[in-house]
Amino acid sequence: MRMMKINNNETVMVIGIDHGYGNMKTATRCFPSGVARYDKEPIFQNNLLVYNGMYYQIGEEHKEFCAEKTQDEDYYVLTLAAIARELDGKGMNRAKVHIAAGLPLTWVATQKEDFQKYLLQNESVDFTFRNKDYHVEFAGADIYPQGFAAAFYRLQDFKGINMLVDIGNGTINIMYINNSRPLEKKCFTEKYGTHQCVLTVRESLLKELGTVVDDLVIEQVIRTGTADIGEKYLTVIRKAAGDYTKEIFHKLREREYNPELMRLYVVGGGGCMIQNFGEYDKSRVTIVRDICATAKGYEAMTVRKIQRNGGMLV
């Protein structure tokens, strides 16, 4: 979150939000994208958000992949939770907020306007999160290409020919950045994120061992390469995750990836798959493990935009 003064000397909080299918990320926070809705106050209230007379447990249940994030109210409620977490980190509960968000690379052109309207559906909103009341007014919302945002504040590193791949929970976004300049005509989005890997691993476990393993265990092995489980289960999970990672490189080669001619930059939470299970030349592949990098990029781009219009950081 960045505090800025705009032309009319009004104070605005710029908050970058990465609306992932697996996790919501801001510049300083990360939490699961699940939402469970209740008509009545639930028993457990650790991450309870109360808005418009309804109760929402944040972080519960898995948010299914959807091509358009405006199709239900979940991402709006998650946006409120993300704003609350950022404000709470600064000891605040009232603010005028300018949202900086994004969409998969090839979806920005067709979905940008609808997503912007979705995020700004209310001029102001009152809600409660974790038993703390919030009042938020909205100053605007900017929508950027996902993936590129994670590289925005380090574009100077992209000398020569580079492929940037953002591996999220639901999608993989691929972009060429040559001599620090993104190539708009060489942007691609594939529905092949880490959640699809979890489904593949789950199927392998059921087929080979006849066992259903909790997704939390599978996700831990994908993130770290191991877990406190029996070796036979680890072997199956690692084999399936390794095969899945090979398919990621296959998809990159279909987009003309050649490790001898270009460098590969991997961002997003799925970078752990490449690191733990991939076969690659470490001298030519950079894995950015900062899961909040995309949200930081959104924020930085909006800050620069406001500065160009006469605003300044406080």
Side-chain angles (χ1 to χ4, degrees):
M1 182 173 73
R2 309 294 294 275
M3 183 182 296
M4 302 196 74
K5 289 282 189 181
I6 55 178
N7 286 337
N8 58 4
N9 208 34
E10 188 175 31
T11 300
V12 172
M13 305 296 171
V14 178
I15 300 181
I17 304 176
D18 181 4
H19 296 78
Y21 295 107
N23 293 290
M24 293 286 292
K25 285 85 66 179
T26 65
T28 64
R29 301 288 189 271
C30 176
F31 59 95
S33 295
V35 178
R37 174 175 170 167
Y38 300 90
D39 295 327
K40 298 180 179 180
E41 187 173 355
I43 297 173
F44 301 106
Q45 302 184 12
N46 290 341
N47 292 295
L48 185 67
L49 188 147
V50 184
Y51 163 66
N52 205 21
M54 299 300 297
Y55 301 88
Y56 302 89
Q57 284 283 19
I58 305 299
E60 290 196 6
E61 301 182 1
H62 184 269
K63 179 65 180 169
E64 295 299 327
F65 176 87
C66 55
E68 294 192 16
K69 296 180 178 179
T70 59
Q71 70 178 22
D72 58 34
E73 66 179 357
D74 286 0
Y75 276 110
Y76 187 76
V77 172
L78 289 166
T79 298
L80 297 182
I83 291 172
R85 285 174 179 261
E86 282 289 300
L87 293 179
D88 184 62
K90 297 293 185 180
M92 303 170 63
N93 69 334
R94 300 175 65 88
K96 190 156 194 172
V97 171
H98 191 118
I99 298 173
L103 289 167
L105 290 170
T106 56
W107 299 355
V108 174
T110 57
Q111 298 184 18
K112 175 180 177 179
E113 185 176 345
D114 286 343
F115 194 42
Q116 189 176 50
K117 289 179 179 178
Y118 175 80
L119 294 174
L120 299 177
Q121 59 186 271
N122 296 309
E123 292 184 2
S124 65
V125 63
D126 294 284
F127 64 96
T128 301
F129 184 57
R130 290 178 167 177
N131 294 315
K132 186 175 181 178
D133 294 332
Y134 291 87
H135 175 77
V136 174
E137 297 177 18
F138 293 100
D142 295 317
I143 311 299
Y144 301 105
Q146 188 175 312
F148 171 68
F152 174 76
Y153 54 89
R154 53 182 300 168
L155 279 177
Q156 68 277 2
D157 297 339
F158 289 79
K159 306 300 182 183
I161 300 175
N162 307 272
M163 175 179 276
L164 173 73
V165 55
D166 178 5
I167 305 175
N169 190 263
T171 60
I172 293 178
N173 291 281
I174 301 166
M175 168 184 277
Y176 279 81
I177 302 178
N178 296 348
N179 286 328
S180 302
R181 295 179 63 87
L183 304 184
E184 187 172 347
K185 292 184 178 180
K186 300 197 75 173
C187 297
F188 314 96
T189 298
E190 302 263 3
K191 184 185 174 183
Y192 205 73
T194 57
H195 183 59
Q196 284 76 36
C197 180
V198 171
L199 296 178
T200 299
V201 172
R202 188 195 300 167
E203 184 178 345
S204 295
L205 287 165
L206 191 59
K207 179 180 178 181
E208 297 188 33
L209 300 177
T211 304
V212 175
V213 175
D214 195 293
D215 286 355
L216 290 175
V217 175
I218 299 173
E219 290 167 0
Q220 182 180 355
V221 177
I222 290 174
R223 285 196 310 271
T224 66
T226 189
D228 186 17
I229 57 175
E231 189 62 35
K232 65 179 180 180
Y233 298 101
L234 269 177
T235 299
V236 173
I237 296 174
R238 287 170 176 163
K239 172 64 167 55
D243 291 343
Y244 197 86
T245 305
K246 289 178 182 177
E247 183 59 25
I248 289 177
F249 278 99
H250 174 70
K251 288 184 176 296
L252 298 184
R253 289 192 296 270
E254 288 182 334
R255 302 301 183 181
E256 301 180 1
Y257 170 60
N258 185 330
E260 295 183 9
L261 298 178
M262 62 191 67
R263 292 189 176 273
L264 179 67
Y265 284 79
V266 184
V267 299
C272 55
M273 287 197 299
I274 304 297
Q275 181 169 297
N276 294 327
F277 307 106
E279 297 177 3
Y280 59 93
D281 182 352
K282 294 183 179 180
S283 68
R284 298 193 62 78
V285 177
T286 300
I287 299 176
V288 180
R289 292 301 303 271
D290 182 1
I291 197 170
C292 295
T294 296
K296 291 176 181 177
Y298 295 153
E299 203 166 278
M301 286 191 280
T302 287
V303 166
R304 186 177 72 169
K305 174 184 173 182
I306 293 175
Q307 286 175 325
R308 285 177 172 175
N309 291 328
M312 63 181 67
L313 287 167
V314 177

